[in-house]
Amino acid sequence: MDEKPSTRKGPDFCSLRYGLALIMHFSNFTMITQRVSLSIAIIAMVNSTQHHGLSNVSTEEPLAETLNNPSRSFKKFNTGASVYEWSPETQGIIFSSISYGIILTLIPSGYLAGIFGAKQMLGAGLLTSSLLTLFTPLAADFGVILVIVTRTVQGMAQGMAWTGQFTIWAKWAPPLERSKLTSIAGSGAAFGSFIILCVGGLISQALGWPFIFYIFGSIGCVCCLLWFTVIYDDPTHHPCISVKEKEYIMSSLAQQSGVLSSLPFIAASSCTILGGQLADFLLSRNLLRLINVRKLFSSLGLLLPSLCAVALPFVTSSYITTMILLILIPGTSNLCDSGFIINTLDVAPRYASFLMGISRGFGLIAGIISSTTTGFLISQDSVSGWRNVFFLSAAVNMFGLVFYLTFGQAEIQDWAKERTITRL
């Protein structure tokens, strides 16, 4: 049987831990906007047809030729913004380079966060990512190789920031509020995607595509200032926390042992927060055991989007139905945020960042493979290719769900428990 978490109430939404969740929400918002900025700007970076009637200078030249001749990779808009002759292959490498960078640091960053402190690791990662975002337009003018290097290092910085969050929550989130707090923080990514998709194109059209990077890079620098000023690794060392909240967090941890394009992201953000609220409600009322809650939300987050993806190719004649399914896929998948995604906090809170780094590493490898596979499938035939993409993603989801339902646990593992050394 799972050990029952404490039901004693502490300070609620005006508490410091919820302020931390909001700041982390802002941090995730910043990182995802910096990550997606290139996806929005690339439309103007490689296509000048919408600027003063210029012809499209985007070419299909081989990647090797582009890499060997970076000076040929751009021309100038009349407005002063650059447009580049990057082939689809080059663009694919640029897009995936940030994922390679994240993979390189996910596992070691979790380990280093436990040594140097998650506050320093996350803050340094966010600051580095923000500065590299500001540098991206200049890097593009120097050549595609420098852009790839910049995006890779930016991915490494973001990998440090993503995993460091779980080390903080292992010390700040009471057991009955973990889903709630982590969902508030995590929803910043979905909200950031919504904002960048809404305003990115407007910024590019009004000011030029470089300002997409300048604006969101600057926002990241402001967020870093807020992060280093307000955030502490644990509640015991925070100078502004109330005695009541500190006692509540410590006692709880002790008892536990230790617009259309943007609509899917609105759904994702909403499902993330609502899922966290519902998960904690089920636990606080003792309606389900912890492991059952984690498996329930993992099942919903993997099964529902898979069903929507499988149904999508068969409803293309209905615009409304297609849109509903496209909104539900990312929305329902975020229910996993209250399932296996935070399961590391249950089984090994001491090593949550390290384990999260490993799991996110596998996830990013799958993301890289899926991007390449998707490009290959749709290049053969766009209609049947997309159908196969949806079927394949559903199959991968089902495999992961069966694996988690079979082997998933929620008890703190023996190897993760703190051992008290008795001195004679």
Side-chain angles (χ1 to χ4, degrees):
M1 293 293 291
D2 293 329
E3 188 173 324
K4 301 297 183 185
S6 172
T7 58
R8 182 166 58 89
K9 293 290 183 181
D12 229 348
F13 287 98
C14 292
S15 62
L16 195 59
R17 62 188 182 278
Y18 280 93
L20 186 150
L22 290 176
I23 294 176
M24 204 170 291
H25 174 99
F26 187 30
S27 300
N28 289 328
F29 166 90
T30 300
M31 286 189 289
I32 199 65
T33 55
Q34 293 173 357
R35 185 174 181 181
V36 179
S37 290
L38 185 62
S39 300
I40 304 298
I42 199 73
I43 300 173
M45 294 172 73
V46 300
N47 183 1
S48 65
T49 56
Q50 59 181 341
H51 294 272
H52 308 290
L54 296 179
S55 60
N56 191 338
V57 299
S58 178
T59 65
E60 296 288 337
E61 65 180 358
L63 174 61
E65 185 176 350
T66 303
L67 295 176
N68 291 331
N69 298 277
S71 61
R72 295 184 55 205
S73 66
F74 72 93
K75 296 182 180 179
K76 295 289 183 180
F77 283 136
N78 292 341
T79 59
S82 302
V83 61
Y84 305 91
E85 297 179 348
W86 291 343
S87 66
E89 294 92 340
T90 301
Q91 296 176 44
I93 293 178
I94 294 174
F95 286 139
S96 62
S97 59
I98 194 169
S99 295
Y100 287 112
I102 294 176
I103 289 175
L104 291 175
T105 55
L106 278 175
I107 296 177
S109 64
Y111 175 75
L112 293 174
I115 298 177
F116 299 105
K119 171 185 177 179
Q120 305 300 328
M121 291 293 295
L122 199 155
L126 180 58
L127 178 60
T128 302
S129 177
S130 300
L131 294 176
L132 290 175
T133 300
L134 293 171
F135 176 71
T136 298
L138 181 60
D141 283 344
F142 277 98
V144 68
I145 296 179
L146 187 56
V147 175
I148 294 173
V149 172
T150 299
R151 294 282 289 180
T152 301
V153 177
Q154 186 177 18
M156 296 172 66
Q158 292 204 1
M160 290 166 37
W162 287 119
T163 55
Q165 298 182 26
F166 286 86
T167 296
I168 292 179
W169 285 129
K171 298 178 179 180
W172 275 92
L176 292 180
E177 298 180 10
R178 281 176 178 169
S179 299
K180 199 181 303 179
L181 290 168
T182 56
S183 63
I184 292 174
S187 63
F191 183 61
S193 299
F194 162 69
I195 292 298
I196 187 67
L197 287 170
C198 284
V199 305
L202 298 176
I203 294 173
S204 177
Q205 186 176 20
L207 303 175
W209 63 260
F211 280 88
I212 300 178
F213 299 97
Y214 297 152
I215 291 174
F216 290 102
S218 300
I219 292 175
C221 293
V222 174
C223 183
C224 289
L225 179 62
L226 187 63
W227 178 267
F228 284 114
T229 303
V230 178
I231 302 300
Y232 282 73
D233 285 319
D234 58 73
T236 59
H237 295 93
H238 203 292
C240 300
I241 191 171
S242 66
V243 175
K244 181 181 179 181
E245 182 178 9
K246 183 189 298 185
E247 291 179 349
Y248 171 66
I249 295 175
M250 300 308 295
S251 62
S252 298
L253 294 176
Q255 183 171 351
Q256 180 65 15
S257 218
V259 181
L260 291 180
S261 296
S262 63
L263 287 178
F265 298 96
I266 286 290
S269 180
S270 301
C271 286
T272 299
I273 296 176
L274 293 176
Q277 297 284 340
L278 180 57
D280 284 340
F281 173 80
L282 294 174
L283 287 173
S284 64
R285 297 300 177 90
N286 294 324
L287 298 177
L288 291 175
R289 297 168 61 236
L290 180 58
I291 183 59
N292 293 332
V293 170
R294 295 295 179 242
K295 290 187 176 181
L296 170 63
F297 282 89
S298 297
S299 299
L300 293 174
L302 291 172
L303 182 59
L304 293 179
S306 297
L307 293 175
C308 293
V310 171
L312 196 56
F314 303 101
V315 297
T316 53
S317 59
S318 173
Y319 174 81
I320 296 178
T321 304
T322 300
M323 287 304 305
I324 291 175
L325 291 178
L326 288 173
I327 293 171
L328 288 176
I329 289 175
T332 54
S333 65
N334 275 35
L335 293 172
C336 290
D337 285 7
S338 299
F340 66 85
I341 290 181
I342 63 169
N343 201 196
T344 53
L345 288 172
D346 303 320
V347 300
R350 294 177 62 196
Y351 307 107
S353 290
F354 181 76
L355 296 176
M356 181 53 62
I358 296 176
S359 63
R360 283 190 180 273
F362 281 110
L364 282 165
I365 291 174
I368 293 173
I369 295 175
S370 66
S371 297
T372 304
T373 304
T374 299
F376 174 78
L377 291 175
I378 64 176
S379 67
Q380 308 302 311
D381 180 82
S382 60
V383 177
S384 62
W386 278 115
R387 183 179 64 244
N388 293 334
V389 168
F390 293 136
F391 289 168
L392 180 59
S393 65
V396 172
N397 275 356
M398 290 302 96
F399 174 80
L401 177 58
V402 171
F403 186 90
Y404 182 71
L405 293 177
T406 303
F407 298 103
Q409 298 184 31
E411 301 86 3
I412 295 182
Q413 303 299 295
D414 292 337
W415 50 266
K417 293 179 179 178
E418 293 188 17
R419 291 176 172 79
T420 303
I421 300 177
T422 304
R423 299 183 182 276
L424 299 178

